[in-house]
Amino acid sequence: MRTHTSGELRLENKDQVVTLCGWVNAQRDHGGLVFIDLRDRYGMTQVVFDPDNGAEMLNLARSLRNEDVIEATGKVVPRGEKLVNPKLATGQIEIVVSKLTVLNRSKTPPFLPGSTEIANEEIRLKHRYLDLRRPQLQEAMIFRHKFSKLVRDYFDKNGFLDIETPMLGRSTPEGARDYLVPSRVHEGAFYALPQSPQIYKQMLMVAGFDRYMQIARCFRDEDLRADRQPEFTQIDVEMAFVKMEDILGMIDGLVAYVMKEMRGIDHPLPLPRMSYRDAAERFGSDKPDLRFGMELKCLGEVAARCGFGVFQTTIQNGGRVRGICAVGGAPKYSRKVIDELTEFVKTYGAQGLAFFRVNETGLDSPIAKFFSEEDQQAIIAKFEAKPGDIIFCVADKQKVTSAALAALRNRLGKELQLYDPKQMHFSWLLDFPLFNWNEEDKRWDAEHHPFCDPVTEDVPFFETDPGQIRAQSYDMIINGYEAASGSVRIHDPVVQQKVFDLLGIKEEEAEARFGFLLDALRYGAPPHAGVALGLDRWVMLFLGNDNIRDVIAFPKTQKAADMLTGAPAPVDDRQLRDLHIKVNTPK
RNA sequence: GGAACGGUAGUGUAAUGGAAGCACAUCGGUUUAUCAGACCGAAAGCAGAGGUUCAAGUCCUCUCCGUUCCUCCA
């Protein structure tokens, strides 16, 4: 139907007769003359209706409304010097229309895709097809496509095979809750949608496909967040005959490739690495935003000997007093704002938030009087603080100081604009502990999953100090988000048995839960390792968004509902009967 | 399982417990150079239920919906 798109005509196309199709972004009726901004995903072009080309067509043009779909044929005409619109890529020209066809009318839309004001998200999701007409979402979808293609190209060049794995699998009650699918044929039995293709990709390694990748949909029935959807897309990778370094190097290469293709940047390699322990101590987080400093410092000795009761008792009870220093923050954080910050850290379990403004002579704070001159100077030295800075401290159990200060650090970093929001900072976090002591249940839990290979030299700790054992696992952190996660898998049955023993998983239980995987690993499994990258998050971060819904065409609300289709919804009794299901909802 | 914030014409956004206003969109009209068109006019609204009060969009309780966070997400 069309000869060109609405984004491509320029001065060089002068005098050509062209046909454009698209949506009416705006109509300007000047009585004798009508202008239409015609929009498609490529851009916008002004088309003009002149009364010289017939009153009938002019009246038709006057009847056009926002989001009507039209086909317009006419001549490309340069605009007069004063009539050029510099805001449009096509602003040098316009189309003087000789033939107008209304392809379809639109109901009055609830909101205008071309408007600068953005409707409430609930409305946008209800009419997602209109929301997706907005240039911002169009760009997001286009970027997402390009990114996925680059990823596939990269792995293809490196000899990876794209192999699909099933959506209907078996529920393995570990980790997140499964989405279940009832079987019609097998009465009372259920499939589960995959939380990840983990088990299948390991089997593909056993099968000899030593380089596998897939852009895979994953499902987890857990609470949603700004960066978390119940179904999401993962770039799933597994390699055989490799060590951890090989995986890290392969993904380093992907980062460099994507940065080069997307941004024209030669990203230096290898990507920086940090140990879990370092990250916990310096940033209180296993996914620190490394675009800025503001590291956590420990006030241990000073807190123990100062006269401030809260600090003293915290130390006596085995807790910690830690803090961060906001450079130049003293004038920006008034008492009122600090009260807000206090409420903020309380949501992370902190009891309160101590603060010290740094001045020429020492510390200015309601609790400064509890600190001797030397201790005040010691604090200033610890934070390398200068007059005008403000120091915030939290006294609590180690875990709480970490959570509260890490969240506060992220907030302050953003508020104080300590980084360029367009910057992408990639790093690896390594040396995770293999096991976590679960204080409540008095037992060891797997930090990652029970198939994660321990660092070889740490294996003797199984008998002495399991908490010391490091895992051969790795997370990629981008701008404070966990953007990828993976591990070397256990292929040695002896090591696997040690892990199961420590986790208290009995042989029968292991066989019942993952017997099919364990069995596969017994038939000549090569050493293998893999990683999974969160595609939605990568796209979100590249686009500088802070909400994953903005890079997913049809996302779900926080209650995992689809506003567009009304899913989830009740089904016919007939369907339930076929599936041997009786619904029993409490009143 | 919990916390915070929010829901006002189609959309966005106002309104000390005392007359629900503005902008865009919509409908009718005028306008030959606009591009956030201009101008004249019209129509259109307090999420639902209950309560407090002389009086409730505003205060209270519950329900529904949305957002953010905690728990959760091996």
Side-chain angles (χ1 to χ4, degrees):
Chain A
M1 292 170 89
R2 56 189 171 180
T3 60
H4 294 78
T5 70
S6 292
E8 64 177 305
L9 293 169
R10 296 291 184 274
L11 225 40
E12 304 88 84
N13 303 94
K14 182 162 84 101
D15 296 334
Q16 288 180 19
V17 174
V18 300
T19 299
L20 302 183
C21 293
W23 288 264
V24 174
N25 195 66
Q27 184 243 40
R28 292 178 292 279
D29 179 355
H30 286 257
L33 205 58
V34 174
F35 300 94
I36 301 282
D37 291 335
L38 191 61
R39 186 197 72 236
D40 61 21
R41 77 168 161 99
Y42 308 92
M44 201 129 73
T45 302
Q46 173 165 279
V47 300
V48 188
F49 297 87
D50 194 293
D52 294 349
N53 291 324
E56 198 182 329
M57 190 179 74
L58 188 72
N59 283 330
L60 189 57
R62 293 180 89 162
S63 76
L64 291 173
R65 291 295 176 270
N66 288 312
E67 303 308 312
D68 284 345
V69 187
I70 63 169
E71 174 186 348
T73 301
K75 197 201 269 186
V76 179
V77 176
R79 298 201 194 184
E81 201 175 318
K82 286 180 185 162
L83 303 175
V84 166
N85 183 352
K87 289 182 201 162
L88 285 185
T90 60
Q92 298 268 336
I93 55 97
E94 61 191 1
I95 313 297
V96 178
V97 180
S98 50
K99 179 163 179 270
L100 168 67
T101 309
V102 178
L103 299 173
N104 212 343
R105 297 279 184 178
S106 170
K107 282 172 67 177
T108 302
F111 59 91
L112 294 177
S115 165
T116 46
E117 55 187 28
I118 297 170
N120 175 297
E121 190 157 19
E122 192 176 349
I123 304 289
R124 287 168 48 206
L125 290 174
K126 225 169 241 166
H127 304 274
R128 188 62 164 176
Y129 40 85
L130 293 179
D131 199 29
L132 284 166
R133 286 181 192 168
R134 284 167 52 225
Q136 196 205 333
L137 281 182
Q138 300 236 320
E139 280 161 26
M141 293 307 121
I142 292 164
F143 181 93
R144 188 178 170 123
H145 161 80
K146 286 183 185 159
F147 181 78
S148 297
K149 182 170 186 310
L150 282 181
V151 168
R152 282 210 176 82
D153 289 348
Y154 174 79
F155 285 112
D156 178 59
K157 280 179 196 163
N158 282 285
F160 284 73
L161 295 174
D162 183 346
I163 300 175
E164 290 159 273
T165 53
M167 285 289 117
L168 296 176
R170 177 178 174 146
S171 176
T172 52
E174 278 279 302
R177 275 181 280 262
D178 285 323
Y179 278 101
L180 296 177
V181 180
S183 164
R184 174 181 60 82
V185 180
H186 301 269
E187 195 172 328
F190 294 81
Y191 302 98
L193 301 179
Q195 294 184 25
S196 95
Q198 180 67 32
I199 285 162
Y200 296 108
K201 69 176 173 179
Q202 287 194 244
M203 299 220 208
L204 287 170
M205 293 306 107
V206 178
F209 297 103
D210 58 345
R211 292 186 167 205
Y212 147 90
M213 71 82 59
Q214 182 187 190
I215 296 186
R217 194 67 63 84
C218 305
F219 304 86
R220 292 180 192 175
D221 187 3
E222 293 294 343
D223 290 344
L224 282 72
R225 285 286 186 284
D227 64 346
R228 218 196 282 165
Q229 281 275 303
E231 55 178 309
F232 59 98
T233 305
Q234 178 168 301
I235 301 162
D236 200 44
V237 175
E238 194 81 8
M239 300 171 78
F241 306 114
V242 291
K243 299 195 163 158
M244 187 170 89
E245 280 301 329
D246 299 297
I247 299 283
L248 299 186
M250 186 60 68
I251 303 304
D252 276 8
L254 174 68
V255 167
Y257 181 70
V258 169
M259 286 299 276
K260 182 70 182 173
E261 296 293 322
M262 285 295 190
R263 297 201 168 177
I265 292 172
D266 288 307
H267 198 285
L269 295 182
L271 297 177
R273 300 176 183 190
M274 183 178 287
S275 74
Y276 174 83
R277 227 172 249 219
D278 252 18
E281 190 55 33
R282 292 169 57 196
F283 302 98
S285 169
D286 60 0
K287 44 181 166 52
D289 189 338
L290 297 178
R291 287 175 298 178
F292 62 103
M294 206 192 279
E295 298 191 12
L296 277 59
K297 304 287 179 190
C298 183
L299 289 188
E301 333 77 58
V302 175
R305 67 169 175 259
C306 75
F308 185 46
V310 174
F311 283 11
Q312 284 180 318
T313 46
T314 300
I315 300 290
Q316 281 159 19
N317 294 334
R320 298 188 73 186
V321 178
R322 294 203 286 173
I324 50 177
C325 176
V327 174
K332 287 173 189 154
Y333 290 96
S334 64
R335 189 55 204 253
K336 191 182 162 206
V337 179
I338 292 172
D339 284 346
E340 279 172 35
L341 295 181
T342 306
E343 288 309 306
F344 176 71
V345 295
K346 279 182 180 172
T347 64
Y348 295 89
Q351 300 297 309
L353 184 66
F355 66 92
F356 305 95
R357 291 197 178 85
V358 182
N359 59 32
E360 301 295 341
T361 56
L363 296 176
D364 174 21
S365 162
I367 59 170
K369 56 177 178 256
F370 296 111
F371 296 82
S372 68
E373 187 122 340
E374 298 80 63
D375 281 349
Q376 293 196 11
Q377 291 306 323
I379 291 172
I380 290 170
K382 171 81 76 180
F383 286 97
E384 296 172 30
K386 285 183 283 301
D389 295 352
I390 185 165
I391 296 166
F392 294 101
C393 294
V394 172
D396 216 301
K397 285 177 290 210
Q398 151 92 11
K399 210 176 152 185
V400 172
T401 59
S402 287
L405 288 170
L408 184 63
R409 176 178 173 273
N410 281 339
R411 177 168 170 166
L412 297 182
K414 189 172 187 180
E415 283 177 2
L416 296 170
Q417 302 179 326
L418 298 183
Y419 52 83
D420 172 4
K422 286 193 191 118
Q423 191 200 337
M424 298 279 283
H425 189 285
F426 302 85
S427 65
W428 288 108
L429 207 69
L430 304 174
D431 299 328
F432 284 84
L434 189 60
F435 302 109
N436 254 329
W437 179 247
N438 184 330
E439 190 57 49
E440 241 170 74
D441 302 339
K442 304 286 178 205
R443 63 183 174 86
W444 292 100
D445 285 341
E447 169 79 23
H448 201 48
H449 60 63
F451 310 110
C452 183
D453 206 15
V455 171
T456 312
E457 68 218 53
D458 291 351
V459 169
F461 287 125
F462 269 99
E463 279 72 40
T464 57
D465 186 4
Q468 285 290 320
I469 304 171
R470 289 166 295 165
Q472 293 198 60
S473 70
Y474 30 84
D475 280 4
M476 177 176 282
I477 314 301
I478 308 178
N479 299 355
Y481 287 85
E482 181 191 316
S485 182
S487 64
V488 177
R489 328 297 181 188
I490 299 173
H491 67 284
D492 178 347
V494 177
V495 176
Q496 185 67 71
Q497 195 54 53
K498 278 178 187 285
V499 172
F500 283 156
D501 287 348
L502 194 77
L503 293 174
I505 299 174
K506 298 205 174 58
E507 198 178 332
E508 315 83 71
E509 192 188 349
E511 289 299 328
R513 275 210 231 161
F514 348 92
F516 49 98
L517 175 62
L518 297 176
D519 210 27
L521 293 174
R522 288 181 193 117
Y523 288 92
H528 60 290
V531 65
L533 296 73
L535 176 85
D536 313 280
R537 283 187 191 169
W538 279 64
V539 173
M540 172 182 94
L541 291 164
F542 263 105
L543 292 173
N545 291 337
D546 51 15
N547 197 305
I548 204 168
R549 292 187 297 276
D550 291 340
V551 301
I552 295 175
F554 300 102
K556 294 189 170 51
T557 68
Q558 197 171 29
K559 286 201 171 148
D562 179 351
M563 299 301 278
L564 188 58
T565 64
V571 296
D572 293 345
D573 287 343
R574 166 85 192 267
Q575 280 177 288
L576 290 176
R577 253 198 321 276
D578 281 353
L579 296 168
H580 325 289
I581 284 180
K582 191 172 179 184
V583 175
N584 181 16
T585 45
K587 287 284 170 317

